[in-house]
Short mmCIF file of all heavy atoms in Angstrom, two decimals:
data_model
loop_
_atom_site.label_atom_id
_atom_site.label_comp_id
_atom_site.label_asym_id
_atom_site.label_seq_id
_atom_site.Cartn_x
_atom_site.Cartn_y
_atom_site.Cartn_z
N LEU A 130 107.57 83.12 76.69
CA LEU A 130 107.75 84.28 75.71
C LEU A 130 109.18 84.50 75.42
O LEU A 130 109.49 85.29 74.51
CB LEU A 130 107.07 85.49 76.32
CG LEU A 130 105.55 85.45 76.52
CD1 LEU A 130 105.12 86.64 77.31
CD2 LEU A 130 104.88 85.43 75.15
N VAL A 131 110.10 83.91 76.17
CA VAL A 131 111.50 84.12 75.93
C VAL A 131 111.89 83.70 74.50
O VAL A 131 111.49 82.63 74.01
CB VAL A 131 112.36 83.24 76.97
CG1 VAL A 131 113.83 83.30 76.58
CG2 VAL A 131 112.17 83.79 78.39
N GLY A 132 112.61 84.59 73.85
CA GLY A 132 113.01 84.34 72.43
C GLY A 132 111.91 84.69 71.39
O GLY A 132 112.16 84.46 70.26
N LYS A 133 110.82 85.21 71.92
CA LYS A 133 109.70 85.49 70.97
C LYS A 133 109.44 86.99 70.95
O LYS A 133 109.99 87.84 71.69
CB LYS A 133 108.46 84.68 71.39
CG LYS A 133 108.65 83.24 71.29
CD LYS A 133 107.38 82.50 71.78
CE LYS A 133 107.42 80.98 71.52
NZ LYS A 133 108.50 80.36 72.33
N PHE A 148 104.46 95.11 81.41
CA PHE A 148 105.06 93.85 80.91
C PHE A 148 106.48 93.80 81.46
O PHE A 148 106.88 92.63 81.91
CB PHE A 148 105.05 93.94 79.35
CG PHE A 148 105.75 92.73 78.75
CD1 PHE A 148 105.31 91.40 79.12
CD2 PHE A 148 106.78 92.81 77.91
CE1 PHE A 148 105.95 90.32 78.56
CE2 PHE A 148 107.40 91.74 77.32
CZ PHE A 148 106.98 90.48 77.64
N MET A 149 107.24 94.84 81.44
CA MET A 149 108.59 94.80 81.99
C MET A 149 108.63 94.47 83.48
O MET A 149 109.43 93.73 83.98
CB MET A 149 109.32 96.11 81.76
CG MET A 149 109.45 96.51 80.30
SD MET A 149 110.96 95.77 79.55
CE MET A 149 112.21 96.88 80.27
N LEU A 152 107.98 90.78 83.79
CA LEU A 152 109.23 90.02 83.50
C LEU A 152 110.18 90.05 84.67
O LEU A 152 110.77 89.02 85.02
CB LEU A 152 109.93 90.63 82.26
CG LEU A 152 109.21 90.39 80.92
CD1 LEU A 152 110.00 91.10 79.79
CD2 LEU A 152 109.01 88.93 80.58
N ILE A 157 112.99 87.27 84.53
CA ILE A 157 113.33 87.07 83.08
C ILE A 157 114.02 88.32 82.61
O ILE A 157 113.50 89.48 82.79
CB ILE A 157 112.01 86.80 82.28
CG1 ILE A 157 111.36 85.50 82.73
CG2 ILE A 157 112.27 86.75 80.82
CD1 ILE A 157 109.98 85.27 82.13
N ASP A 158 115.11 88.12 81.91
CA ASP A 158 115.84 89.26 81.27
C ASP A 158 115.00 89.84 80.16
O ASP A 158 114.65 89.13 79.17
CB ASP A 158 117.13 88.75 80.70
CG ASP A 158 118.06 89.81 80.08
OD1 ASP A 158 117.51 91.00 80.01
OD2 ASP A 158 119.11 89.50 79.72
N PRO A 159 114.58 91.09 80.23
CA PRO A 159 113.74 91.72 79.18
C PRO A 159 114.40 91.75 77.84
O PRO A 159 113.72 91.72 76.80
CB PRO A 159 113.51 93.14 79.70
CG PRO A 159 114.61 93.40 80.70
CD PRO A 159 114.92 92.07 81.32
N ALA A 160 115.72 91.65 77.79
CA ALA A 160 116.43 91.61 76.46
C ALA A 160 116.10 90.30 75.70
O ALA A 160 116.36 90.19 74.50
CB ALA A 160 117.89 91.76 76.66
N LYS A 161 115.60 89.29 76.36
CA LYS A 161 115.32 88.05 75.76
C LYS A 161 113.96 87.97 75.18
O LYS A 161 113.47 86.91 74.60
CB LYS A 161 115.48 86.88 76.79
CG LYS A 161 116.90 86.70 77.23
CD LYS A 161 117.10 85.56 78.22
CE LYS A 161 118.57 85.41 78.66
NZ LYS A 161 118.71 84.25 79.59
N VAL A 162 113.12 89.08 75.31
CA VAL A 162 111.81 89.11 74.72
C VAL A 162 111.76 90.35 73.83
O VAL A 162 111.97 91.47 74.36
CB VAL A 162 110.74 89.17 75.78
CG1 VAL A 162 109.34 89.14 75.04
CG2 VAL A 162 110.82 87.99 76.70
N THR A 163 111.45 90.23 72.57
CA THR A 163 111.47 91.39 71.60
C THR A 163 110.08 92.08 71.79
O THR A 163 109.03 91.45 71.51
CB THR A 163 111.68 90.90 70.21
OG1 THR A 163 112.97 90.29 70.07
CG2 THR A 163 111.68 92.14 69.27
N ARG A 164 110.07 93.34 72.07
CA ARG A 164 108.85 94.19 72.15
C ARG A 164 108.65 94.91 70.87
O ARG A 164 109.54 95.62 70.42
CB ARG A 164 108.97 95.10 73.36
CG ARG A 164 109.16 94.31 74.62
CD ARG A 164 109.23 95.19 75.90
NE ARG A 164 110.36 96.10 75.91
CZ ARG A 164 111.57 95.75 76.22
NH1 ARG A 164 111.85 94.45 76.49
NH2 ARG A 164 112.59 96.65 76.23
#
Side-chain angles (χ1 to χ4, degrees):
L130 294 171
V131 172
K133 297 180 174 62
F148 178 54
M149 295 276 283
L152 290 180
I157 298 172
D158 182 352
K161 294 183 179 180
V162 183
T163 302
R164 301 180 296 283

